[in-house]
Every structure is written in C-alpha cells, then in structure tokens.
Amino acid sequence: MQPILDVRDLQTHFFTDRGVVKAVDGVSFQLYPGETVGVVGESGCGKSMTAASIMRLIRHPGRIVGGEIRFLGEDIVQKSEREMRRLRGNKMAMIFQDPLTTLNPVLKVGAQVTESIRIHSGGARDDAGRLGGWLRRLLDPAGRVSRREAWERGVALLEQVGIPAPEERMRSYPHEMSGGMRQRVMIAIALACNPVLLLADEPTTALDVTIQAQILELMQQIKEERGTSILLITHDFGVVSEFCDRVIVMYAGKVVEQAPLDELLDNPRHPYTQGLLASIPRLGDKSYRVRPIEGIVPELHDLPAGCNFCTRCPLADEYCRRVEPALEEIGSEHFVACHKVDMTAAGARGA
C-alpha cells in the first residue's frame, strides 16, 4: 500500500538574530490511507511546525531547507504557492488549535464556510451528467458553485458536524458561538471539499472534557465514513490512546520514537517516551506517584552535541553527549533513536 503522505528527512529552520532555530530537524514518517497517526511531545518539540511545513505555511524568517514531503506521490516542497493553494482545502486541510483566533471575527460563519466552498470547488466539483453543468461552467469559467448552492452545502456541512439549527448558525458571528461549536465550524470548513488528508493541530486543547470527547468522536466518524487520513498533533496521551493507530514521539525537533499505539503504550523504549508516560496520573491507583521529567527542553538554536535528550536523560553517558543516535527499527514498525535502547526494555526498567 502506497502512503498518502511520505515525509523524508524534513528540515524547517528559522533564521533569527540569536542563531538558526532547527524547529524541524530531519523528521521522517509515513501516513497511509484511512490511518490516524498521533504526533506527541512537549511544547516546542516541533509538532505544529511539522504540520505547518506539510501545509507549506512557513513564513519568514523560517523556511524548509531540506527533505521531501511527498503527498499523493508528488514532492510538494517543489510546488509553487499557486499550486499549493489548489491543494489546500481541496485535497489537504488543517484544523487549527484556536478557532476563535483562526476564524475571522468580523465575518459571519456562513460567509467563511461558503467562501471555502466557492474558492475550492473548481477542482472538487463534478458536473458530469448534471443538467446545465456546461452552462454553469460557461457563466463561471472557474467552475465555482453559485452562492445559493454554496450556502446550501454550508448548511449541510454544519448539520453534518453536529451544530444545531445550522441555518441560524450560518448567520452568527464566531464570538456568538461556544468553543465547541467554533471548533465544529473549523472542521466543517476543513471538510468542505472532501480532503484525503486532514491535519489537526491540538483540536481539543481549549475545550472541556465533554466537548473534547464529542469532537474526537466526530473526527472518528469522519475518518470511518470518508476514509480520511488524519495527522493528529497533541500533547495528550489520553487523546492518542483513544484515537490513533500509530504514534510519533518528537523531542527538540526530532523523532525519537515511532510505533503502533499498543506497542508504544505497552513497551516504550526511549527514555523520553517513558518519562512522558510516567508523568501521567493514574486514576484509582493511590500508591502511584507521578514522576516528572527532570530538567528543561534545550534552546533549539543552541542544541547540545550528541543526543538532544542527553541533558535530561538518567541513562546518558559521555558517548550519548558526543554522538547523535539514529532512528533505528528495534521491532516490527517500532523505531527508536537511543544509544541505550538495550537498557530500556521492560525488565531493565523494572516495569
């Protein structure tokens, strides 16, 4: 099976007065049709920058300096901005972290939903066999749908994502809606043209637990009904355990571990992954004590030599501080970048 998305040695750097910030530093992974892959890690590890790089939304002073992003078999790093505008919304879409700042506050929801439909409908719409299709194309060479048709499709989308009274909500401003409803509007906009790839950047962070569950259930429904591939950016292992097929763990701009969900939860092998899991409270286990990861994330413009995690790792030695570990396969689809992987097995760590 060919991957929908194949990221190879992706490098996205920001050139600042303090030095070169290696926000994404040699990231590689694949995403297959109908699959959900979670990307986890602390704030600043490069999760969101990886997603923004895939969408080609990096702005000055940042730029992609190396690697490939092969989407549907084509390297989109080489595509022009005009070509990317045709892909965004049509075949790939993104749900951003904060809908209140992403949605335009001075435009009603209906205007924003229909704008997305009309802009991207030229490549997504199929008039074949429709009475009058040739006439529509003659009147509108770009192939865009009419305002009325876009409005009707927008109402249907809001209804599909579970917004009550969708016709009324189309006439509302974003600030007149709850956080959960605004996030549903963002999902509706992202789904307007049936993309095959959906990137979700912390889609439930600002929502309460009940609404989080509803949004995740909605995304799961979308995946099952449409076969959409989803790249989920999150820091919440609870969300990952409910929603993802595979997990990528990032630290300081690099992938440090990658494995199927159950394998990663049952047998984490990188000290950083083990630290993340050990820092999660366990409900009902009064004897368990949360163990935070010691130290702080290094500055991305001043990374240590060798392993980026060596300044916080309890197993690090002089070799770790001098030589950068490669991401290597230690089991079926289980990859780890650590010199001490033989010491992190379940028996060695007393699990």
Side-chain angles (χ1 to χ4, degrees), residues 93-138:
M94 190 163 180
I95 303 170
F96 293 93
Q97 183 172 349
D98 185 0
L100 189 58
T101 58
T102 305
L103 293 170
N104 192 323
V106 300
L107 291 179
K108 292 182 179 180
V109 164
Q112 300 184 60
V113 176
T114 57
E115 178 187 41
S116 178
I117 292 170
R118 298 196 79 219
I119 286 175
H120 296 294
S121 293
R125 167 172 196 260
D126 182 9
D127 281 318
R130 288 192 185 182
L131 182 62
W134 66 272
L135 181 59
R136 285 196 190 103
R137 287 194 295 272
L138 179 64

Side-chain angles (χ1 to χ4, degrees), residues 55 87-89 91-95 189-191 195 197-200:
M55 291 292 290
L87 282 178
R88 297 190 201 108
K91 296 188 176 179
M92 61 192 328
M94 190 163 180
I95 303 170
I189 293 173
L191 295 178
L197 172 63
L198 186 63
L199 293 89

Side-chain angles (χ1 to χ4, degrees), residues 124-269:
R125 167 172 196 260
D126 182 9
D127 281 318
R130 288 192 185 182
L131 182 62
W134 66 272
L135 181 59
R136 285 196 190 103
R137 287 194 295 272
L138 179 64
L139 296 175
D140 184 359
R144 290 191 293 265
V145 299
S146 67
R147 292 183 183 277
R148 180 175 179 178
E149 187 178 354
W151 179 271
E152 291 171 353
R153 285 170 60 175
V155 172
L157 276 169
L158 293 195
E159 185 176 17
Q160 182 184 352
V161 298
I163 294 180
E167 184 94 28
E168 179 182 341
R169 290 301 180 184
M170 288 280 279
R171 296 184 174 89
S172 300
Y173 288 98
H175 72 269
E176 297 176 317
M177 306 176 78
S178 67
M181 281 196 182
R182 286 193 294 266
Q183 194 61 282
R184 288 172 188 268
V185 169
M186 289 294 300
I187 294 173
I189 293 173
L191 295 178
C193 294
N194 293 313
V196 296
L197 172 63
L198 186 63
L199 293 89
D201 186 6
E202 303 273 12
T204 62
T205 294
L207 307 176
D208 63 52
V209 175
T210 303
I211 304 301
Q212 281 187 21
Q214 293 175 3
I215 295 297
L216 290 173
E217 184 178 351
L218 172 61
M219 292 177 63
Q220 182 67 28
Q221 179 184 340
I222 290 165
K223 171 187 171 181
E224 292 173 356
E225 291 179 354
R226 302 189 178 205
T228 308
S229 301
I230 300 175
L231 187 69
L232 176 65
I233 310 298
T234 184
H235 63 276
D236 189 337
F237 263 106
V239 170
V240 167
S241 64
E242 292 289 330
F243 193 60
C244 296
D245 302 306
R246 285 190 296 123
V247 187
I248 296 167
V249 182
M250 288 188 66
Y251 182 79
K254 294 180 179 292
V255 174
V256 296
E257 187 160 8
Q258 180 180 162
L261 174 65
D262 291 341
E263 170 68 12
L264 188 106
L265 296 180
D266 295 340
N267 186 31
R269 297 295 297 276

Side-chain angles (χ1 to χ4, degrees), residues 256-257 267-274 306-307 309-328 330 334-349:
V256 296
E257 187 160 8
N267 186 31
R269 297 295 297 276
H270 195 283
Y272 178 62
T273 309
Q274 294 175 356
C307 175
F309 190 59
C310 67
T311 57
R312 306 174 70 188
C313 180
L315 301 178
D317 58 17
E318 191 58 34
Y319 186 76
C320 298
R321 297 182 180 92
R322 288 189 295 104
V323 180
E324 180 181 341
L327 189 68
E328 297 181 342
I330 62 167
H334 193 164
F335 298 82
V336 182
C338 180
H339 295 307
K340 302 295 182 180
V341 70
D342 291 339
M343 299 175 62
T344 61
R349 67 174 187 271

